Amino acid sequence: MNSKQKTKTGIIGGGPAGVFAAIFASENPDNEILIIDKQDILKTLLPTGGGRCNLAFGEFDFKELVKYYPRGEKFLLSVFSRFSTADTIAFFEKIGVKTYIQEDFRIFPVSNSSSDVRNKLLEKIKKRNIKTIKEEVTDTEIKNGKFLIKTKNRTILVDNLVIATGGRGIGQKLAKKLGHNIIPQKPALCALKTEEQDFFDLSGLTLKNISAGVFFANKKITTQTGDLLFTHSGISGPLSYKISSYCTYLDFKKEKPLRIKINITNRENFEELLIESIKKNPKKDIINIIDTYIPHGLAEKILLKNQINPKTKSGQLKKEERKNIVKSLTEFCLNITGTKNGEEIVTAGGVDLKEIEQKTLESKIVKNLYFCGEVLDIDGLTGGFNLQNCWSTGYICGMTLK
Ligand SMILES: Cc1cc2nc3c(=O)[nH]c(=O)nc-3n(C[C@H](O)[C@H](O)[C@H](O)COP(=O)(O)OP(=O)(O)OC[C@H]3O[C@@H](n4cnc5c(N)ncnc54)[C@H](O)[C@@H]3O)c2cc1C
């Protein structure tokens, strides 16, 4: 009989990051691994990618991959040098999840099912004898160099503690109590509210592959591209998510506005095209010319905003009116008044990366304490980057504990 005492590791949070840490730490049979989660393990994986689980992004050069993280870019260089896109694909293939790369480089399971990915990971947990407890952790304490994990019903003593509670769990509070600095948390990848209300009734309308210049206090800070979805309070969709990610920490107000400027025609030479169309169709209603470039409802709103009757024959349009239409369409402006809280996909902020060892994911403050996943001050754009962060930091954490 093996009388060697096992090393006990408690992982708070059974999301993608905690599960990866558990799987790799359990490669050493002398490790006893316990995941404590208040809900079913990997429940948070189910809604990802709209139920399809966009589990990574097809960028195989880790130095390029880090550029998709508004927070965590430098930290992830070392992490991704050890576990990145190709490793993710290989790992999932090994556990029976074949993947494919979509045209836009997002990576999905061939089954297009996040529950398939979850089930395969759950099988692995079972095979490795990783224990799970479904209880809410309320507190942790350090006692004689070990950790006490407290739930309502019990106190568990472990040698190593991994906090993997994501962006909205108890992790940041526990980390703070254990001496860590927390970068204030803000919603990222979320819908944006706009000052302009005249587009609210276009809710549901999408403009494909639109580029937007983003201006803060009248200075251009970034250009982002993606689909733009009008909502009943502003905008949403991939373009809005990207903008929100870059702007979540900006303190914008009336005197320092956050403004986006879009060429909604998506054509560089729109004025020339319009002049040509008018020349060819002088008897056509102007609305029926404009709506060949942008959706009818939006075209109507923009004409009315410029006090132009949509039924005006295009040949009768005054030069000044034509100029106004061109400006409204190519420099379509929206003033952002805030983010739509509660509906964010990820949270920016979290455990300060300065206090975490990149090579091990161990705390620089408390020995044998580890963090992985979204609990850290890391967040990526949409495209599979946030799950990649979980797989990679979870892997490093698990391998350190192995
Ligand atoms: C709708 C939606 C779609 C998404 N789609 C994608 C996508 O397609 N691709 C992508 O890359 N990213 C996607 N994301 C982001 C991605 O899901 C997260 O970044 C990722 O789940 C974070 O993983 P994590 O393990 O760090 O934390 P989480 O997945 O949040 O897991 C943390 C776990 O900790 C547990 N926990 C928290 N507090 C306690 C406590 N007190 N006691 C016990 N347990 C606790 C929670 O129950 C949870 O199970 C999406 C997010 C959302 C909301």
Side-chain angles (χ1 to χ4, degrees):
M1 230 176 103
N2 187 2
S3 60
K4 194 175 170 197
Q5 188 125 35
K6 290 199 169 195
T7 305
K8 265 193 169 185
T9 295
I11 300 177
I12 310 177
V19 163
F20 247 53
I23 288 172
F24 287 98
S26 67
E27 279 185 2
N28 180 347
D30 290 332
N31 282 340
E32 188 180 319
I33 314 288
L34 172 68
I35 304 176
I36 308 130
D37 200 308
K38 61 184 175 185
Q39 56 180 357
D40 292 337
I41 302 291
L42 288 174
K43 196 175 172 195
T44 54
L45 200 59
L46 292 176
T48 61
R52 289 169 61 212
C53 189
N54 173 201
L55 55 84
F57 185 78
E59 171 57 73
F60 292 84
D61 177 349
F62 69 86
K63 288 183 189 140
E64 290 300 314
L65 188 64
V66 296
K67 293 182 182 162
Y68 292 88
Y69 294 82
R71 284 149 291 271
E73 179 177 340
K74 266 196 191 151
F75 187 88
L76 287 172
L77 261 181
S78 150
V79 172
F80 286 167
S81 72
R82 288 174 59 201
F83 194 97
S84 183
T85 313
D87 307 288
T88 303
I89 294 173
F91 170 86
F92 279 106
E93 173 108 33
K94 220 169 162 184
I95 65 162
V97 179
K98 277 203 162 50
T99 56
Y100 72 97
I101 306 180
Q102 225 178 235
E103 250 177 33
D104 59 2
F105 298 103
R106 293 192 294 155
I107 301 178
F108 291 91
V110 168
S111 62
N112 280 320
S113 154
S114 47
S115 62
D116 180 46
V117 180
R118 178 177 182 242
N119 289 340
K120 288 288 191 303
L121 287 167
L122 291 178
E123 271 173 30
K124 189 86 181 159
I125 289 177
K126 211 170 164 195
K127 259 191 217 155
R128 287 279 173 86
N129 283 325
I130 294 164
K131 291 188 189 130
T132 60
I133 293 180
K134 190 174 170 182
E135 276 176 36
E136 180 167 4
V137 172
T138 50
D139 200 5
T140 53
E141 249 176 54
I142 302 176
K143 196 177 175 193
N144 303 329
K146 297 197 178 198
F147 299 90
L148 296 175
I149 303 174
K150 297 181 178 180
T151 73
K152 250 193 216 154
N153 305 318
R154 62 181 107 192
T155 299
I156 305 156
L157 182 72
V158 294
D159 303 294
N160 303 307
L161 176 63
V162 178
I163 299 183
T165 44
R168 272 156 274 180
I170 197 179
Q172 288 79 5
K173 195 176 135 199
L174 298 179
K176 194 170 179 189
K177 195 188 152 203
L178 293 166
H180 275 270
N181 179 41
I182 306 300
I183 305 295
Q185 291 183 270
K186 298 269 185 181
L189 301 183
C190 54
L192 294 168
K193 294 188 274 186
T194 61
E195 193 177 294
E196 294 72 14
Q197 300 191 357
D198 28 354
F199 303 100
F200 288 0
D201 60 346
L202 294 178
S203 178
L205 181 84
T206 302
L207 301 177
K208 292 270 174 208
N209 204 27
I210 288 291
S211 276
V214 183
F215 297 79
F216 174 56
N218 300 320
K219 266 199 194 139
K220 191 172 194 175
I221 53 167
T222 178
T223 301
Q224 295 298 324
T225 305
D227 293 355
L228 180 144
L229 169 72
F230 286 94
T231 70
H232 58 273
S233 59
I235 57 167
S236 187
L239 181 62
S240 161
Y241 295 161
K242 286 182 185 171
I243 295 169
S244 72
S245 233
Y246 284 100
C247 301
T248 188
Y249 284 101
L250 296 180
D251 181 19
F252 48 92
K253 40 192 163 220
K254 266 233 150 66
E255 56 282 14
K256 270 187 171 182
L258 181 65
R259 197 168 280 153
I260 60 174
K261 214 184 255 181
I262 309 165
N263 178 350
I264 51 174
T265 70
N266 232 348
R267 288 166 177 90
E268 286 293 324
N269 56 343
F270 174 66
E271 185 160 20
E272 287 161 38
L273 292 172
L274 182 64
I275 291 171
E276 214 165 284
S277 293
I278 292 174
K279 253 189 208 159
K280 277 189 195 156
N281 308 286
K283 294 209 168 115
K284 226 180 184 181
D285 293 352
I286 186 64
I287 180 76
N288 295 332
I289 288 184
I290 303 295
D291 73 3
T292 56
Y293 299 101
I294 59 168
H296 187 89
L298 185 57
E300 198 166 36
K301 281 212 182 290
I302 288 176
L303 288 173
L304 292 174
K305 224 181 162 184
N306 282 295
Q307 290 160 352
I308 298 167
N309 183 343
K311 293 213 170 296
T312 307
K313 299 296 167 215
S314 72
Q316 286 168 9
L317 207 65
K318 293 183 194 120
K319 186 178 171 190
E320 194 194 338
E321 288 174 323
R322 194 193 70 221
K323 289 262 175 215
N324 286 343
I325 293 174
V326 171
K327 191 166 192 301
S328 297
L329 265 55
T330 56
E331 294 176 36
F332 181 79
C333 263
L334 290 172
N335 286 288
I336 308 300
T337 53
T339 53
K340 198 141 187 277
N341 292 8
E343 289 176 17
E344 66 271 21
I345 293 176
V346 286
T347 321
V351 176
D352 193 341
L353 299 175
K354 283 195 207 104
E355 299 172 350
I356 307 294
E357 290 288 354
Q358 290 169 34
K359 291 201 162 70
T360 58
L361 271 295
E362 189 178 8
S363 157
K364 289 181 185 171
I365 293 171
V366 181
K367 204 168 160 11
N368 301 328
L369 172 66
Y370 297 81
F371 296 92
C372 54
E374 209 186 305
V375 70
L376 292 163
D377 178 28
I378 298 176
D379 62 281
L381 299 180
T382 46
F385 306 103
N386 289 296
L387 284 175
Q388 185 63 63
N389 166 42
C390 296
W391 314 133
S392 298
T393 51
Y395 166 84
I396 304 276
C397 187
M399 289 305 276
T400 311
L401 290 164
K402 183 181 151 191

